[in-house]
Amino acid sequence: MIAEAFKGKTVLVTGSTGFLGKSIVEKCLRSIPEVGRINLAIRSSARRPAAERLEREVLSSPAFKRLKDELGEAEFAKLAKSKLAVLEIDLGRDGLGLSDASREQLHACDIVIHSAAAVEFDNPADLSAQTNLLGAARLVEAIQKSGARPHLVHISTAYVGGMLRGLVREEPPLDPGLNWRHEAAVLTTLRGPVEEESRRPEVLKKLRREAQSRMGPAGTPAVASDG
């Protein structure tokens, strides 16, 4: 059923440089050979253009080892070239930073699998909000503006259920009792005041005392490192 639904279709996968995104791309290439095209949403970094990130951060991953072993390196490279394309998207920017060509690519997508997320526990709150809240909203808005009507699959981050226990069904009404737009606005402006507060002399003194009480026996260098 899934293979039939994907047959000849153009798919967009966000988060394709991440663990889950790579697995989705590999599974599509290996198990759905008749998929039309897979666009990988990748943004250029300060060090590498998006196309180079595809080669270095996606196709070189151990996730593709089985497929490479089955096909051989040459046939795998041929398959990747025929099925995969980069769609430059920046979820951290309004409008996703799309070029005219990228908008046309987005409009041509029949299926969008949104698996991009910031899942590190120590990420600044504003960065997580930009990716996990505003990034998803920006993607939906860009799809709507493009005039496309793809089948959209959104993959929640692992801990979206919070402290809930047992089976948590994703059924309407999905009302957590929070205004996500308000939460995002607060989180994106939170870092500056928190950092400023942390530099107040009395706060620094308190943090230094706490560090010394915990790390004191290890010596002054350990306290400095912990700070």
Side-chain angles (χ1 to χ4, degrees):
M1 180 183 295
I2 293 176
E4 186 63 28
F6 276 69
K7 184 177 180 180
K9 297 294 175 53
T10 298
V11 182
L12 169 64
V13 179
T14 70
S16 54
T17 59
F19 171 79
L20 184 58
K22 291 172 191 172
S23 299
I24 292 171
V25 174
E26 190 276 341
K27 185 67 173 178
C28 288
L29 288 177
R30 180 166 51 83
S31 301
I32 315 175
E34 294 182 321
V35 65
R37 193 77 166 167
I38 306 174
N39 289 320
L40 279 62
I42 302 175
R43 63 178 176 84
S44 296
S45 68
R47 293 185 301 167
R48 299 189 183 105
E52 187 176 340
R53 291 190 67 195
L54 168 62
E55 294 293 334
R56 286 175 172 263
E57 300 177 32
V58 180
L59 298 182
S60 63
S61 166
F64 295 90
K65 183 180 184 304
R66 175 178 173 181
L67 194 53
K68 289 178 180 179
D69 289 345
E70 291 177 356
L71 298 178
E73 290 283 350
E75 285 300 313
F76 172 78
K78 188 185 299 183
L79 174 67
K81 185 175 181 180
S82 67
K83 294 291 185 181
L84 303 182
V86 170
L87 201 172
E88 286 212 47
I89 281 179
D90 186 349
L91 293 171
R93 295 175 58 187
D94 289 335
L96 305 183
L98 294 172
S99 65
D100 291 339
S102 295
R103 288 190 188 91
E104 291 181 10
Q105 276 183 277
L106 182 62
H107 182 269
C109 292
D110 304 297
I111 301 167
V112 175
I113 302 175
H114 181 49
S115 68
V119 297
E120 295 85 355
F121 287 116
D122 57 354
N123 264 342
D126 56 340
L127 176 59
S128 293
Q130 283 290 337
T131 303
N132 298 347
L133 287 175
L134 298 178
R138 290 182 183 119
L139 177 63
V140 172
E141 289 170 1
I143 291 171
Q144 291 175 333
K145 287 181 179 178
S146 76
R149 291 295 181 269
H151 183 85
L152 177 61
V153 179
H154 178 266
I155 302 174
S156 301
T157 55
Y159 303 99
V160 74
M163 301 298 290
L164 297 175
R165 294 180 177 275
L167 181 63
V168 182
R169 298 185 181 277
E170 294 190 4
E171 298 175 344
L174 300 175
D175 182 8
L178 296 172
N179 183 320
W180 70 265
R181 288 182 174 84
H182 173 71
E183 294 295 313
V186 171
L187 289 172
T188 53
T189 58
L190 192 62
R191 190 195 301 195
V194 170
E195 289 184 347
E196 185 177 349
E197 172 70 14
S198 71
R199 296 189 182 99
R200 289 171 52 211
E202 55 269 34
V203 174
L204 287 173
K205 186 176 181 180
K206 175 176 178 291
L207 293 175
R208 193 176 295 112
R209 282 200 308 268
E210 291 179 357
Q212 288 173 339
S213 68
R214 295 179 185 179
M215 304 292 293
T220 302
V223 173
S225 176
D226 184 62

